[in-house]
Amino acid sequence: MKLFRHTPLTIALLALVLCAGCREESAPAPAPEASSFEQAPTFELRSPLQYEHTYTMTQKQKYNEFAEDTVSLQLAAALRFMPTRLMGDGGAVVELTFDRLRIDVIPANDERIEFDTEVDYDETNETPYVRALRRIAESGVTYEIDANGQVIAMAGAAEMVRLVQSLPGATLIAGVINEAWLRGLAEDVFGPAGGAAMRDRDEHWTTDESLTLGGFTGADTAIDWQVRSIQNDIAVMRGDGETSAPTKADPAAGGARQIVTGAVTQFEVHWDIARGRSASVEVQGAMSLEFRAQDFLLGTASLATHSLTRAAD
């Protein structure tokens, strides 16, 4: 009997037939994009939500057109939001605690300020900054948040702000740790981009918000939002902000008038539709200011970033 002779071609064909059923499955096709979604917060009683938050700012300062300095601030925090009581209107009482808080400030003409809750400081020899920041990290905030994800009341925030404002030369820290920042942390999680609504793909809308980017207080930012995509239970919303503020005297700057001379801010929110909260919020801003007094002019140019990202479930 004549044996069948295997040629390279027959071997290749045989391998193709034998392996037809053992090839790896191809990656699944991406889910089709939805045309709309409902942005609505979900509050699960006693179910903690953990987020990582960072805030950075670099500011160049110019005094009376002569002397120049650069200051910087970096803040990192591990945050825990705990709904403790559900309210009849669909909102909830939510407690914020700092699982960790780190702050590093390099001022213009003073000593560097460093604080970390994971460092054991000698309480008998604490600096006023360490003492105040430790009390802030241990205090926490209690929010009342409505069904739209907006903060309608806060307890504990004013005490935190007073602690910071009582520190000598704490202008830079006070420009970040304030009531607008604390309110914004909760609304970034439960009600970003204006809060609960039915939203369509490519929809535009506008919100007015008070921001702390650049360490400037009292500035109002009008943000033009757009839904950029709705896919795999994540809605991506992006915003462009335009900041304005009335000229006013700033007690933190010795009564000098503060004026916004230029500002641009960009936002990106990834909203988890199924979980009813943000997966991440990113903000980048640039702002230039002037502080004017009779014989004094301080010009500042600030670059700032704000990031809030859900920790792994």
Side-chain angles (χ1 to χ4, degrees):
M1 182 179 66
K2 187 176 181 180
L3 296 175
F4 181 76
R5 183 178 179 183
H6 293 292
T7 66
L9 178 59
T10 60
I11 293 173
L13 290 172
L14 181 61
L16 184 62
V17 170
L18 292 176
C19 292
C22 61
R23 287 179 296 177
E24 292 185 4
E25 294 184 3
S26 59
E33 188 164 349
S35 60
S36 64
F37 75 100
E38 182 179 10
Q39 179 187 337
T42 299
F43 302 101
E44 298 179 16
L45 197 61
R46 297 293 176 184
S47 179
L49 308 177
Q50 294 175 287
Y51 283 80
E52 298 294 331
H53 170 54
T54 61
Y55 178 96
T56 68
M57 182 179 69
T58 302
Q59 185 180 90
K60 291 188 178 296
Q61 301 176 341
K62 191 171 185 177
Y63 303 90
N64 292 333
E65 303 296 330
F66 298 109
E68 291 189 9
D69 283 308
T70 299
V71 300
S72 66
L73 179 147
Q74 295 185 20
L75 181 151
L79 309 176
R80 183 185 301 266
F81 295 89
M82 176 77 79
T84 58
R85 179 166 60 87
L86 302 181
M87 299 192 298
D89 64 353
V93 174
V94 178
E95 292 182 357
L96 166 65
T97 56
F98 294 91
D99 288 344
R100 186 178 185 183
L101 178 63
R102 291 180 293 151
I103 295 178
D104 185 5
V105 180
I106 302 178
N109 299 302
D110 210 337
E111 293 184 4
R112 184 174 186 170
I113 301 168
E114 294 180 277
F115 174 78
D116 188 341
T117 50
E118 293 196 352
V119 173
D120 291 326
Y121 297 96
D122 180 2
E123 294 189 13
T124 62
N125 195 31
E126 284 183 342
T127 67
Y129 285 97
V130 168
R131 187 177 305 113
L133 292 171
R134 180 170 53 80
R135 287 178 61 187
I136 287 171
E138 293 173 350
S139 300
V141 177
T142 300
Y143 303 97
E144 289 186 20
I145 303 176
D146 65 18
N148 294 319
Q150 304 300 287
V151 174
I152 55 178
M154 292 190 295
E159 290 78 3
M160 283 190 184
V161 174
R162 280 196 292 269
L163 279 172
V164 173
Q165 291 178 341
S166 68
L167 297 171
T171 304
L172 203 61
I173 297 179
V176 177
I177 300 179
N178 52 44
E179 292 196 30
W181 173 67
L182 291 166
R183 177 186 303 273
L185 291 177
E187 292 184 350
D188 277 352
V189 172
F190 298 104
M198 285 296 303
R199 304 206 184 277
D200 297 327
R201 175 73 168 86
D202 295 327
E203 177 183 343
H204 283 267
W205 68 101
T206 302
T207 63
D208 292 311
E209 300 185 24
S210 178
L211 301 178
T212 59
L213 290 177
F216 180 76
T217 58
D220 294 320
T221 300
I223 307 169
D224 177 33
W225 292 95
Q226 183 184 18
V227 178
R228 300 302 296 269
S229 66
I230 312 168
Q231 199 166 27
N232 296 322
D233 264 339
I234 296 292
V236 177
M237 298 175 281
R238 292 179 185 164
D240 294 309
E242 182 176 340
T243 299
S244 62
T247 300
K248 65 176 186 177
D250 183 2
R257 291 181 300 128
Q258 57 182 14
I259 307 166
V260 177
T261 56
V264 59
T265 313
Q266 295 181 322
F267 305 78
E268 181 162 306
V269 174
H270 289 219
W271 177 260
D272 190 323
I273 302 168
R275 289 184 170 91
R277 58 182 181 270
S278 290
S280 66
V281 177
E282 302 287 339
V283 185
Q284 295 184 342
M287 180 180 290
S288 57
L289 306 172
E290 286 185 356
F291 296 88
R292 291 180 176 270
Q294 184 174 359
D295 298 315
F296 172 81
L297 170 62
L298 169 64
T300 69
S302 304
L303 296 175
T305 66
H306 166 108
S307 173
L308 188 71
T309 305
R310 185 179 63 206
D313 292 333

